[in-house]
Amino acid sequence: MRRIVVKVWEFPVRLVHWTNFLAILVLCATGAYIHWPFLSTPTTAFPYVMGWMRLAHFVAGWALLAGLLVRLYWGLVGNRYARIGTFFPYLTRQGRKSFLGVLRYYALLSPRLPPHLGHNALALTVYSGIFAVMAFQVVSGFALLGQADPSGTTYLLTGWIFSFVSNGWVRFAHYAATFVMGAFLIAHVYAMWVSDLAERDGTSGSLFSGYKYGELEEFEDFGPRPR
Amino acid sequence: MAKKIVVDPITRIEGHLRIEAQVEDGVITDAWSIGTMWRGIEKILVGRDPRDAWYWTQRFCGVCTTVHAMASIRAVEDAVGMTVPLNAELIRNLIMGIQNVQDHVIHFYHLHALDWVDIVSALSADPGATARLAQSVSDWPKSSKTYFKAVQDRVKAFVGTKRLGPFANAYWGHPAYKLPPEANLMGVAHYLEALDWQREVIKVHAILGSKNPHPQTFLAGGISLPVDPDAQNALNADKIAQVRELLVQANAFVEKVYIPYLLAVAPFYLDWAGIGGGVQNYLTFGDFPTAEGQRREDYWLKPGQVRSGAFPDAKPVRAEAIAEYVTHSWYRYAGGDDQGLAPWQGETEPDYTGPKPPYPDKFVSDEDAKYSWVKAPRYEDTPFEVGPLARMVVGYAQGHPEIKAVVDLVLQKLGAPASALFSTLGRTAARGIEALLLSRQNLEWVDLLAENLGRGDTRIQDNARWDPSAWPAEAEGVGFHEAPRGMLSHWIRIKNGEIANYQAVVPSTWNASPRDPKGQRGPYEQALIGTPIADPDQPLEILRTIHSFDPCLACAVH
Amino acid sequence: MAHDPHNPRETALEQYLESRGVDRRSFLKFCTAVTATLALPASFARKVAAAVAADDRPSVIWLHLQECTGDTESFLRASRPTAAEVILDYLSVDYHETIMAAAGHQVEEVRRHTMEQYKGKYIAVVEGGIPTKDGGVYGCIGGHSMVDVVTEVCGNAAATICVGTCSAYGGIQAAAPNPTGAVGVGELLPSIPLVNLPGCPLNAPNLTATIVHFLTFGTLPRTDSLKRPLFAYGKRIHDNCERRAHFDAGQFVERWGDPGHRQGWCLYKMGCKGPATSHNCPQVRWNDGLGWPVGQGHGCVGCSEPGFWDTMGPLYERLPNVPGFGVETTATKVGLGIMAATAAGVAVHGVAKSIQLRAVEKKEGN
Ligand code: HEM
Ligand code: HEM
Ligand code: NFV
Ligand code: SF4
Ligand code: SF4
Ligand code: F3S
Ligand SMILES: [Mg+2]
């Protein structure tokens, strides 16, 4: 068996992952304050708490939007592990097989993950879901923001939502999605830990270094072929 | 020769009322009161936050706006044991008090007056003579010849356009109109003046309640208007002065315009003191607390009932004696339609069996046993009338000092016995008397409020019981309120912080009710019997008696 | 605005006003006020004046459907112009059940006659929702279902003005479970010219300004996607609120009557729905500017928003409840529950996985 080291995550993928992570931390923290302003009544020394919280929320919101756009672009031009197509493993036979394999793995029915070099099939599916949630947060967030100026560009792009969904529900959904992010984060970090422990393939470090390693025979990849 | 007639829509009321009547030899011998619209709000309330109920139920009616909010918050307070601070009680009194006064004046001039006042006849009045007539009954500064001339000119110009708008196709010149032209012109002038007055005095609601209609400072457990003599954003001395000023203005109009006019025209219609008495049982549950944690028996208006046969003997009342029937209403009860349900056990399940619309040429009362969306509330299985007349009759019988003094004065001026109160005219007079008393009482309450603020009390809410986690898992409560049209009660059952059942038994439900399983008619129906009809095609007399109750069908059905 | 005695139109106006007993100065003051409400340049005041004074007063049919008459009452509180002026001088209010002197057949006749004589020219004003369920039996007038009445009256009108949230979007009776199938006029008759003036009730100046706009320009004012005029619903409460500085500063009322409440701090934590509501309450306020909900210490409940009855409640919570569960079920509870469940699931899985790994490793002989 040949031990190999492969560069899977190119720089833009890593950069986006960690800027998104930071942005989301800020968004969750400031979002929590916006939802229920818990800081005790400020004195005149610090008189603009909600204003700052909202500003931080919006700056992080822009960062998240930028990250998503970069990642979307890289999904078109990046390596085989970054391609948009790879996020829908259940569309190919091999992918479905792999998907079931991961499910068996998490159900403790099989001790090892099916071979993979990029994300595993279940992870890909969950990531596409969490990308969708991030996109939803961006759209709903900018829609809420745009209301302050119904003659502005933001409102032009997002205001149509309110002819279909009441304002109250958009806020509700924006708030509820925060918990989806939280639950994802718990499961996501756990998955890294398990993968490190059981697979010893360097998953958790890979998003810093870009490299993964393992036995070559294990890697029968699915998804679009590389250029 | 018996003939059935129908009046639908009844206009100059709130809501959708249809009256069918049997006329024999120019007199009504039977009648059916028919509510033709249902909204289903009692059903909608189930599952919602009890603290929100006031907002939704207030939308039963925008004419007696505030009253359902009051009954609703009292029901929640009763259920979960909240204590309302004195400031909140007094602010509520002022909101209710001015509502009552304003509603009564609007009713008299804008909804009822045209049953008695002939606008067309006013055109031929002599403005000078009108001014003399007006000055002979009151020293209201506006009553000059030029004033009445200007009003008359304005009406002439309007009539000259040949487009009479809301006054078109009416019963002008009907033989039942009895006033001389000058009294008619005076009525028309007041009609216009009251339109301006009502807009001004109700500004009390804007200051204390944020807006009118549908004030928005009600809270279960208090009021959301902060009070603090030393704060810019709270009720302070300046705002109290503003309120007081408006209350003085309200009182002046009632003392110097409404009541003198009522007394001036009543003698022309004294025959109506013998018509329209109806069921002649009167019920009130009392209102207007003046101290914190007061018992209802000590309120400014006290609970009681009078049956005309036993007048002037007033008896105490009990909430458990109230039940609603649907034998003749378009609802079904799970346990059978002939039983009476106490409101806490009440059900509102629609069961329409009437004619399929369109039915312009049918009589709804012919169709079936059920004929109205109004339920039939009964007290000890007996139909009761509620309203200003009920309150004045009960107060009179109880010897309520303020009520007794004014009622006696009015009876003496008209040279009528107390029994004349049990009539169409009596109902209309009682409303005026009540407006007078409340417009005076408002001034007392605003002073009480100022006094209490001066003592440094800034409490407005029972915060300890605001959060539903402080409530029992299950509770039931009832809130009573004396609304302009009569005794109102809201009944709530709360389970795990949610509304499990909500029932409103509304003044116009009592008065507009159809028959009950014993066949006893509701107050409107009973009052119409014996009403003369000069021309069955021009049902002016029906309007008189029905309007004397001040119907509100959105309230009645909800 | 200078008076021009040589302008024939103005002279006619003069005579007209005289015949109505209206003095010119107060009339022009009114026109200027209306011009300002509509945010038009001052030069329009003259155009407004001429339009409202022309003696071809438009005919109005005002319908009452599933309603509480709150919008009629609100209209009675109008002051620029007053209800009396509108009824007697500016419009010919030919059908309005709350004020008509006649009743029964006589008013049914007036309605039919008005619809025929002014077909395609009259203004329909609608107050109240329309019960559509079970063949319309939940609301009838003169033996006709409200569905039929509104279809006929609005279908033949030059324009329809929906006053209040009930006629605009169905209102309180359309709240879940909507027992009568109540809808707004726009939903029943999607293709008629229509403007919505929601609010519970409608605020009077928004109606008078809309009417005057129609009289002046012959068109309805520009509206948003919910058919609400931009001049009255173009901005959120929250963005015009007098308490906004306290919001930004993080100063919130925590309990009714606390010092912050008395100092006019922000009502966000008491459930204010100003951030989700478009309405001009903070500027025009109510009853000649004397009050408005937030000003008097209670949160906005979003009464001018479609569906407010189901999306703005509970009134004293910031966000709606999770649909289908009880009032106690907030998004926070459900969300924290999901996160806790995930954490618990992960912990259990972690333990199981370690045991499995150990077993596998033992088998593999490490
Ligand atoms: C992971 C992403 C995000 C999370 C977790 C998040 C979280 C939150 C939370 C919890 C709230 C409070 C909701 C409430 O109770 O009303 C909120 C409000 C808001 N968020 Fe986000 N948000 C995210 C992304 C965004 C983005 C991308 C924008 C776009 C600029 C945005 C704009 C807003 C706005 C405008 C509000 C309402 C603030 C106000 O009206 O004062 N959010 N967010
Ligand atoms: C809100 C926080 C986070 C979000 C939304 C998030 C989201 C994602 C997404 C979408 C991917 C796929 C990357 C791509 O293909 O572009 C990913 C991969 C990854 N994330 Fe995160 N992540 C978060 C936090 C973290 C944290 C805290 C860690 C470190 C412990 C982490 C470690 C990784 C790793 C190692 C991968 C690659 C794993 C694999 O091969 O499947 N993430 N994450
Ligand atoms: N409650 C109530 Fe009512 C009734 N009936 C009251 O005065 O009118 Ni709309
Ligand atoms: S919108 Fe409000 S005020 Fe108007 S009819 Fe409906 S409930 Fe009444
Ligand atoms: S009171 Fe309401 S509308 Fe005003 S700033 Fe606070 S949240 Fe916004
Ligand atoms: S509740 Fe309605 S009245 Fe104005 S402040 Fe809110 S829109
Ligand atoms: Mg009821």
Side-chain angles (χ1 to χ4, degrees):
Chain A
M1 277 201 274
R2 208 144 55 89
R3 188 98 180 140
I4 58 158
V5 175
V6 188
K7 166 126 181 189
V8 284
W9 313 124
E10 295 154 297
F11 177 70
V13 172
R14 287 178 282 145
L15 178 75
V16 165
H17 180 272
W18 293 114
T19 53
N20 279 357
F21 172 61
L22 289 178
I24 289 171
L25 281 191
V26 173
L27 285 161
C28 285
T30 53
Y33 181 80
I34 295 171
H35 172 70
W36 194 252
F38 42 79
L39 296 180
S40 62
T41 303
T43 60
T44 41
F46 194 53
Y48 200 64
V49 190
M50 180 59 97
W52 287 116
M53 291 288 181
R54 293 178 76 241
L55 181 69
H57 197 78
F58 304 149
V59 169
W62 277 105
L64 186 65
L65 170 63
L68 289 182
L69 290 177
V70 170
R71 187 63 185 82
L72 187 66
Y73 172 70
W74 208 253
L76 298 171
V77 304
N79 70 13
R80 59 183 299 194
Y81 308 109
R83 286 309 180 88
I84 291 173
T86 190
F87 284 89
F88 306 96
Y90 41 83
L91 294 182
T92 66
R93 244 195 74 219
Q94 202 191 357
R96 282 193 290 273
K97 203 179 130 215
S98 186
F99 192 94
L100 287 177
V102 184
L103 283 184
R104 285 172 54 82
Y105 166 77
Y106 277 109
L108 303 181
L109 296 177
S110 99
R112 292 274 179 265
L113 277 171
H116 65 284
L117 238 196
H119 312 302
N120 74 51
L122 178 66
L124 281 167
T125 309
V126 172
Y127 295 152
S128 64
I130 210 67
F131 272 129
V133 173
M134 288 190 257
F136 173 80
Q137 289 298 75
V138 169
V139 174
S140 57
F142 276 100
L144 290 174
L145 186 60
Q147 284 184 298
D149 177 16
S151 51
T153 320
T154 314
Y155 193 78
L156 195 71
L157 293 173
T158 55
W160 51 269
I161 292 176
F162 301 111
S163 356
F164 302 101
V165 192
S166 135
N167 206 306
W169 287 116
V170 174
R171 269 181 172 261
F172 174 89
H174 189 78
Y175 176 62
T178 308
F179 294 98
V180 177
M181 309 265 357
F184 165 80
L185 185 64
I186 294 171
H188 185 52
V189 173
Y190 170 74
M192 298 310 123
W193 177 76
V194 171
S195 162
D196 256 15
L197 205 70
E199 308 298 315
R200 303 175 199 282
D201 60 356
T203 300
S204 71
S206 69
L207 254 223
F208 294 102
S209 65
Y211 293 96
K212 275 192 158 190
Y213 43 86
E215 281 92 37
L216 180 63
E217 289 69 20
E218 287 186 7
F219 300 120
E220 31 164 315
D221 264 310
F222 50 83
R225 308 307 300 174
R227 266 175 304 170
Chain B
M1 192 195 63
K3 180 183 173 192
K4 227 171 178 183
I5 60 171
V6 54
V7 190
D8 180 9
I10 296 276
T11 50
R12 279 181 285 128
I13 60 163
E14 197 301 326
H16 303 283
L17 175 65
R18 172 185 180 100
I19 293 291
E20 295 184 2
Q22 178 96 23
V23 182
E24 255 177 279
D25 302 325
V27 175
I28 293 178
T29 53
D30 205 352
W32 295 265
S33 157
I34 300 165
T36 61
M37 189 268 278
W38 178 65
R39 295 202 285 165
I41 299 175
E42 287 170 338
K43 285 179 81 79
I44 287 168
L45 282 164
V46 174
R48 294 178 194 261
D49 189 329
R51 297 172 301 172
D52 293 5
W54 75 261
Y55 188 90
W56 312 123
T57 57
Q58 178 162 261
R59 271 68 192 165
F60 286 173
C61 185
V63 175
C64 66
T65 183
T66 78
V67 311
H68 297 286
M70 270 310 305
S72 180
I73 55 181
R74 283 176 172 176
V76 177
E77 286 155 5
D78 182 43
V80 307
M82 290 169 158
T83 321
V84 181
L86 182 58
N87 288 323
E89 293 283 28
L90 293 171
I91 291 170
R92 290 175 181 185
N93 277 4
L94 292 173
I95 291 178
M96 298 185 283
I98 190 65
Q99 168 61 31
N100 222 298
V101 174
Q102 189 239 22
D103 201 349
H104 285 356
V105 171
I106 290 187
H107 175 261
F108 180 71
Y109 281 115
H110 306 127
L111 306 183
H112 200 18
L114 300 183
D115 301 337
W116 314 98
V117 173
D118 184 337
I119 298 188
V120 175
S121 145
L123 296 178
S124 56
D126 170 3
T130 310
R132 282 193 297 280
L133 170 66
Q135 287 158 13
S136 75
V137 297
S138 129
D139 60 354
W140 187 241
K142 274 196 174 171
S143 306
S144 68
K145 181 179 168 189
T146 36
Y147 169 69
F148 288 114
K149 170 100 176 39
V151 170
Q152 196 181 39
D153 287 348
R154 189 169 185 197
V155 176
K156 272 186 183 155
F158 177 74
V159 173
T161 65
K162 303 228 160 43
R163 296 175 68 192
L164 292 185
F167 312 111
N169 221 16
Y171 314 119
W172 315 126
H174 190 286
Y177 283 120
K178 295 280 167 53
L179 296 183
E182 285 69 29
N184 283 320
L185 178 56
M186 207 171 140
V188 172
H190 291 172
Y191 180 105
L192 294 172
E193 209 174 319
L195 267 179
D196 288 334
W197 172 90
Q198 57 86 25
R199 179 187 70 238
E200 291 305 310
V201 300
I202 208 60
K203 288 176 177 170
V204 169
H205 278 192
I207 299 166
L208 300 178
S210 86
K211 71 197 209 329
N212 172 280
H214 295 325
Q216 196 161 317
T217 54
F218 290 104
L219 290 180
I223 197 104
S224 75
L225 179 76
V227 300
D228 185 346
D230 299 313
Q232 200 175 328
N233 295 74
L235 186 76
N236 50 29
D238 175 44
K239 285 179 195 158
I240 288 183
Q242 229 176 331
V243 167
R244 200 171 199 292
E245 187 57 41
L246 290 164
L247 294 174
V248 167
Q249 196 180 334
N251 171 255
F253 188 85
V254 176
E255 300 259 6
K256 304 209 160 161
V257 180
Y258 179 14
I259 296 296
Y261 187 67
L262 196 62
L263 290 174
V265 299
F268 293 93
Y269 290 113
L270 273 185
D271 46 336
W272 286 85
I275 300 170
V279 299
Q280 308 205 4
N281 302 317
Y282 304 96
L283 190 61
T284 166
F285 269 66
D287 212 328
F288 302 108
T290 48
E292 202 163 306
Q294 206 173 31
R295 295 176 332 138
R296 203 199 316 282
E297 288 67 29
D298 300 323
Y299 286 4
W300 182 70
L301 284 175
K302 295 165 184 35
Q305 52 159 319
V306 165
R307 305 197 188 204
S308 66
F311 183 77
D313 184 15
K315 291 245 167 55
V317 291
R318 5 169 237 126
E320 311 78 59
I322 296 171
E324 285 193 302
Y325 292 89
V326 295
T327 319
H328 294 282
S329 314
W330 288 312
Y331 306 94
R332 83 181 139 264
Y333 281 167
D337 290 355
D338 283 347
Q339 63 181 331
L341 290 186
W344 277 319
Q345 275 69 52
E347 297 169 22
T348 308
E349 206 47 57
D351 180 20
Y352 184 78
T353 58
K356 214 167 120 34
Y359 55 85
D361 303 321
K362 287 191 185 143
F363 291 100
V364 175
S365 55
D366 285 352
E367 282 280 320
D368 199 84
K370 293 182 186 286
Y371 62 88
S372 175
W373 284 114
V374 185
K375 290 183 183 173
R378 296 293 184 259
Y379 184 88
E380 290 174 345
D381 285 340
T382 309
F384 269 78
E385 174 175 344
V386 298
L389 177 58
R391 290 186 286 253
M392 294 305 105
V393 166
V394 171
Y396 190 83
Q398 289 167 334
H400 189 294
E402 288 101 334
I403 293 176
K404 191 143 186 348
V406 177
V407 170
D408 278 336
L409 194 79
V410 168
L411 290 174
Q412 179 217 324
K413 280 218 168 157
L414 298 180
S419 61
L421 286 169
F422 314 139
S423 67
T424 295
L425 188 66
R427 211 170 277 122
T428 296
R431 187 170 294 107
I433 295 169
E434 181 174 84
L436 179 70
L437 292 172
L438 276 170
S439 75
R440 290 175 182 169
Q441 217 53 40
N442 281 338
L443 295 167
E444 305 264 328
W445 294 327
V446 77
D447 291 345
L448 270 183
L449 176 64
E451 222 172 85
N452 194 52
L453 286 192
R455 281 195 287 268
D457 181 4
T458 55
R459 294 169 309 127
I460 52 169
Q461 164 73 13
D462 183 353
N463 281 314
R465 292 197 174 261
W466 174 244
D467 198 278
S469 59
W471 300 354
E474 285 192 41
E476 51 185 29
V478 56
F480 288 101
H481 167 46
E482 286 297 328
R485 287 156 195 77
M487 186 268 280
L488 167 65
S489 55
H490 282 209
W491 309 70
I492 194 171
R493 281 203 299 114
I494 299 174
K495 214 170 160 181
N496 302 324
E498 272 180 31
I499 297 174
N501 195 11
Y502 200 103
Q503 293 288 323
V505 186
V506 183
S508 293
T509 320
W510 287 92
N511 291 343
S513 70
R515 288 147 170 78
D516 59 29
K518 292 188 190 160
Q520 302 178 96
R521 295 183 192 84
Y524 290 1
E525 298 177 335
Q526 193 63 39
L528 281 173
I529 293 180
T531 298
I533 293 287
D535 174 0
D537 288 332
Q538 304 224 324
L540 179 62
E541 299 92 336
I542 291 184
L543 294 181
R544 277 186 186 167
T545 290
I546 291 296
H547 283 159
S548 73
F549 285 93
D550 191 2
C552 175
L553 268 284
C555 272
V557 182
H558 44 272
Chain C
M1 181 163 97
H3 175 44
D4 174 7
H6 304 298
N7 182 335
R9 213 169 161 176
E10 285 222 1
T11 318
L13 169 68
E14 196 88 324
Q15 280 162 1
Y16 172 79
L17 291 176
E18 221 164 84
S19 77
R20 285 286 155 77
V22 181
D23 99 276
R24 185 186 159 83
R25 263 197 48 172
S26 63
F27 179 72
L28 290 182
K29 231 170 83 188
F30 148 67
C31 293
T32 315
V34 165
T35 312
T37 312
L38 289 167
L40 299 171
S43 59
F44 273 96
R46 188 175 308 208
K47 203 166 173 205
V48 170
V52 295
D55 199 16
D56 42 13
R57 291 176 300 154
S59 176
V60 170
I61 298 182
W62 184 311
L63 294 179
H64 286 82
L65 306 174
Q66 269 182 315
E67 45 78 56
C68 77
T69 312
D71 305 292
T72 289
E73 287 284 340
S74 193
F75 165 62
L76 289 180
R77 315 287 185 263
S79 61
R80 44 181 210 261
T82 66
E85 285 162 336
V86 171
I87 295 168
L88 298 177
D89 302 338
Y90 301 136
L91 300 174
S92 182
V93 180
D94 293 328
Y95 187 92
H96 189 305
E97 285 174 40
T98 322
I99 55 176
M100 289 184 90
H105 299 302
Q106 281 83 9
V107 299
E108 288 286 283
E109 199 178 293
V110 166
R111 182 165 64 83
R112 271 194 302 278
H113 178 250
T114 309
M115 275 169 31
E116 279 158 25
Q117 192 179 357
Y118 299 103
K119 193 168 182 226
K121 294 200 194 100
Y122 63 88
I123 301 176
V125 178
V126 185
E127 178 171 0
I130 307 149
T132 59
K133 219 162 116 179
D134 301 332
V137 300
Y138 300 109
C140 289
I141 301 166
H144 299 279
S145 75
M146 288 173 179
V147 175
D148 287 351
V149 172
V150 81
T151 305
E152 207 186 359
V153 169
C154 297
N156 290 310
T160 295
I161 301 175
C162 291
V163 291
T165 310
C166 287
S167 56
Y169 310 120
I172 292 291
Q173 49 275 326
N178 195 349
T180 62
V183 299
V185 179
E187 194 175 334
L188 185 74
L189 306 168
S191 52
I192 61 167
L194 171 133
V195 53
N196 287 326
L197 301 176
C200 192
L202 142 99
N203 200 0
N206 295 338
L207 175 60
T208 47
T210 301
I211 290 173
V212 172
H213 189 288
F214 185 78
L215 296 183
T216 311
F217 305 113
T219 59
L220 296 172
R222 263 189 66 208
T223 57
D224 64 11
S225 61
L226 300 165
K227 300 198 178 163
R228 304 180 292 194
L230 297 175
F231 77 80
Y233 304 86
K235 277 183 88 176
R236 280 187 312 173
I237 301 270
H238 190 55
D239 295 313
N240 278 324
C241 178
E242 63 204 27
R243 301 187 180 212
R244 180 58 185 266
H246 295 294
F247 173 85
D248 288 334
Q251 294 172 313
F252 299 99
V253 177
E254 307 279 349
R255 289 165 89 77
W256 303 112
D258 71 8
H261 196 209
R262 282 181 261 148
Q263 291 304 326
W265 286 5
C266 171
L267 291 157
Y268 189 70
K269 290 173 93 167
M270 308 312 276
C272 179
K273 305 299 189 297
T277 307
S278 299
H279 208 177
N280 56 354
C281 302
Q283 287 93 39
V284 296
R285 302 176 178 226
W286 290 76
N287 306 87
D288 285 343
L290 276 175
W292 72 290
V294 168
Q296 259 62 9
H298 192 285
C300 167
V301 308
C303 75
S304 56
E305 291 292 315
F308 88 88
W309 46 90
D310 285 331
T311 65
M312 302 294 180
L315 300 187
Y316 304 101
E317 304 292 340
R318 287 236 21 262
L319 296 174
N321 283 324
V322 187
F325 296 78
V327 283
E328 293 289 272
T329 324
T330 61
T332 311
K333 281 191 185 167
V334 174
L336 289 177
I338 289 174
M339 281 176 64
T342 310
V346 152
V348 171
H349 193 274
V351 171
K353 184 77 196 173
S354 324
I355 295 170
Q356 186 198 30
L357 270 180
R358 204 153 303 156
V360 169
E361 275 163 16
K362 210 178 260 167
K363 214 164 119 197
E364 285 169 359
N366 295 349

